[in-house]
Amino acid sequence: MIPVQGYSGATVAVLGLGRSGLSAARALREGGAEVIAWDDNEAARDNAQAEGFAIADLSKQGALDGAAVLIVSPGIPHLYPQPNKVVRAAWEAGVPVDNDISLFFRSFATSEWDNFERIPKIIAVTGSNGKSTTSALIHHILEHAQRPTQLAGNIGRGVLDMDPAIDGEVVVLELSSYQTDLARALTPDVAVFTNLSPDHLDRHHGMGGYFAAKRRLFSEGGPDRCIIGVDEDEGQYLANQMAGGATDDRVIRVSSGRKLTGDGWNVFAKKGFLAEWRKGKQMASIDLRAVPGLPGAHNHQNACAAYAACRSVGLAPRVIEAAFHSFAGLPHRSQLVGEKDGVKFVNDSKATNVDSAAKALQAFTNIRWICGGLEKEGGLGGLLPHLGGVTKAYVIGREAANFAMQLGDLPHEVCTDMATAVARAAADAVKGDTVLLAPAAASFDQYDNFERRGEDFIAQVETLTKA
């Protein structure tokens, strides 16, 4: 645990008692704060009360009197689509609103660091797609290189549940827009921006607000090194804003699919090869085509970002390359889960939006595509140009018929449930085909989360391949 500094003897209010909220409450108490907490869910309140936390309805008049700060869990809206009533009450009472990410950045460094030979570093990763894989890959490379490292944030443990840093450690954080948007303190040593595509637009009041939440990690974080994907205009803009000139190597530009030129520090993947160029000279080249845990152009972009981040903390290209080959990938992200009679079954349940599904579809050929679920804002229009490798779609979800209507002339079958979709796709498939789950939709119409959806796919595939 990371004890929270700066609030010893003070009263701190915590709103939301899920994983991050309860973790924050514990770390605050460990640092000497008096915690009052609230969650609209009775079971969550009971769990916190069982741990000895004082429970009070923070929306009541005067509940925030004397509070030094209100800590808000990331899932609770603090501005759009409308502020939570407790957040509004904090505004009116003049109580600062903050989150656990900020508490971490304020508390991570301690006086013990004065005795370290190498000061610990923080690599923070944000973006729309690929940030989980990029974060996990950076962590894996560091482990391979025998560097002390921890992985936390939106993946793995909560930030305040980590162990205090040791000499030379590198902490890798995956940070969502919900987490960066509110944090008052953001001070990573290395910040990574993977890419940007429409997502969570209601929460951020449109693409501008969504990008602004991501940009805060850089503009307010002031990292020593910025790793920025420049395949979208927003990334180009951000790189331009953070660099002092064309040769400023505090910014490493990253791309998948095109060669980056110029005298700066560039890492890009083209035709399956990663290349690092610095000051007009090529420094390294890695063949990514034979790396089983990183299939497709989208994973090659993740590899470039992870490579650049690890180069920023002093790792050699050949060390990074060796680590690539032992990376198994993450569950539910282009995960090979079975093979039978020359047909591969790939689980990309994490492809919950059009952009991530498009990237998954571009990674394979001869695709039997399982798709559908709770459709996100904007429809499937952006996906239609990427269906050239799809032989047939098998649509699941409560509104499968409506989803299927947007697929145009693509051959499709309305299956509704996962078991039917897997069975029908497997029956139609021939040697060389890939049965790919890449839903391009949220899972909440049929499952609690995308993990449960992916687990159902895996279970159906296991039943089929063992038969």
Side-chain angles (χ1 to χ4, degrees):
M1 179 182 293
I2 308 292
V4 172
Q5 301 178 40
Y7 292 103
S8 180
T11 298
V12 177
V14 175
L15 177 63
L17 293 168
R19 186 188 75 160
S20 65
L22 200 53
S23 172
R26 294 175 185 135
L28 283 158
R29 182 168 61 186
E30 188 71 16
E34 296 291 332
V35 177
I36 56 173
W38 181 255
D39 193 298
D40 289 340
N41 183 281
E42 184 177 1
R45 296 198 301 268
D46 290 345
N47 288 338
Q49 194 165 32
E51 292 194 30
F53 292 108
I55 302 299
D57 187 344
L58 298 176
S59 66
K60 298 292 187 182
Q61 183 72 31
L64 293 172
D65 289 351
V69 65
L70 171 67
I71 302 301
V72 179
S73 293
I76 297 173
H78 59 272
L79 186 56
Y80 300 115
Q82 62 182 12
N84 181 276
K85 57 186 177 182
V86 178
V87 172
R88 189 179 293 280
W91 294 348
E92 294 173 355
V95 175
V97 180
D98 210 342
N99 67 8
D100 63 323
I101 302 302
S102 181
L103 295 179
F104 166 79
F105 277 109
R106 292 176 186 272
S107 305
F108 186 54
T110 69
S111 58
E112 294 181 7
W113 290 23
D114 293 339
N115 301 316
F116 290 171
E117 291 186 9
R118 290 192 298 178
I119 296 299
K121 292 185 179 294
I122 299 171
I123 299 175
V125 181
T126 195
S128 296
N129 298 306
K131 57 184 179 292
S132 293
T133 297
T134 299
S135 300
L137 181 55
I138 294 169
H139 178 63
H140 172 78
I141 296 166
L142 290 165
E143 286 188 319
H144 176 87
Q146 298 184 337
R147 289 285 294 272
T149 181
Q150 296 184 72
L151 176 65
N154 209 41
I155 185 174
R157 291 186 287 177
V159 291
L160 293 169
D161 288 331
M162 284 191 293
D163 300 324
I166 62 174
D167 196 335
E169 188 163 45
V170 180
V171 167
V172 184
L173 303 181
E174 179 196 335
L175 299 180
S176 72
S177 58
Y178 289 11
Q179 293 170 311
T180 58
D181 196 16
L182 187 59
R184 288 169 171 254
L186 289 168
T187 53
D189 298 283
V190 179
V192 180
F193 175 84
T194 58
N195 51 57
L196 195 79
S197 61
D199 208 1
H200 310 303
L201 299 189
D202 58 336
R203 175 67 180 264
H204 298 294
H205 205 57
M207 279 293 286
Y210 180 46
F211 175 54
K214 303 287 190 185
R215 182 177 178 269
R216 290 189 76 248
L217 184 64
F218 298 81
S219 60
E220 299 197 21
D224 296 326
R225 190 84 66 189
C226 302
I227 317 297
I228 301 175
V230 294
D231 288 336
E232 295 88 28
D233 287 345
E234 290 86 355
Q236 291 272 31
Y237 168 83
L238 181 59
N240 182 270
Q241 287 278 300
M242 299 307 296
T247 60
D248 187 351
D249 65 4
R250 292 174 301 173
V251 174
I252 305 178
R253 291 170 172 82
V254 168
S255 177
S256 174
R258 66 189 180 98
K259 180 178 180 179
L260 298 178
T261 59
D263 292 330
W265 197 347
N266 300 315
V267 178
F268 58 89
K270 188 174 182 182
K271 296 182 179 179
F273 285 86
L274 179 153
E276 176 190 2
W277 285 71
R278 193 171 185 181
K279 296 181 180 179
K281 295 181 180 180
Q282 185 167 354
M283 309 298 292
S285 178
I286 297 173
D287 186 353
L288 298 173
R289 296 172 300 175
V291 178
L294 296 167
H298 62 306
N299 274 312
H300 293 174
Q301 183 186 55
N302 299 335
C304 288
Y307 175 95
C310 290
R311 291 286 283 137
S312 294
V313 294
L315 298 190
R318 294 306 165 207
V319 172
I320 300 171
E321 180 178 10
F324 280 167
H325 284 276
S326 59
F327 181 64
L330 289 179
H332 315 297
R333 298 161 176 87
S334 296
Q335 177 191 17
L336 179 63
V337 298
E339 187 169 354
K340 185 176 183 181
D341 300 329
V343 176
K344 294 181 179 180
F345 296 82
V346 176
N347 166 29
D348 204 326
S349 184
K350 185 62 170 65
T352 59
N353 59 40
V354 164
D355 188 68
S356 56
K359 288 179 169 59
L361 289 168
Q362 292 173 72
F364 304 96
T365 57
N366 304 322
I367 300 168
R368 303 283 174 175
W369 178 35
I370 298 177
C371 57
L374 188 63
E375 188 180 330
K376 292 192 174 181
E377 184 179 350
L380 301 181
L383 194 57
L384 298 182
H386 305 290
L387 300 181
V390 178
T391 304
K392 183 177 178 180
Y394 304 81
V395 189
I396 62 173
R398 292 180 185 172
E399 298 183 356
N402 291 334
F403 194 99
M405 288 178 62
Q406 299 185 58
L407 298 178
D409 297 331
L410 181 71
H412 62 266
E413 183 175 336
V414 174
C415 299
T416 307
D417 63 85
M418 186 69 73
T420 303
V422 172
R424 293 297 307 132
D428 291 345
V430 297
K431 184 177 180 179
D433 283 357
T434 296
V435 176
L436 171 66
L437 171 65
S443 58
F444 304 122
D445 59 331
Q446 292 183 310
Y447 303 93
D448 290 340
N449 49 51
F450 74 83
E451 291 96 341
R452 293 285 182 267
R453 177 171 59 191
E455 288 162 5
D456 189 11
F457 176 76
I458 293 170
Q460 301 302 328
V461 171
E462 287 179 346
T463 299
L464 185 75
T465 54
K466 291 177 181 178

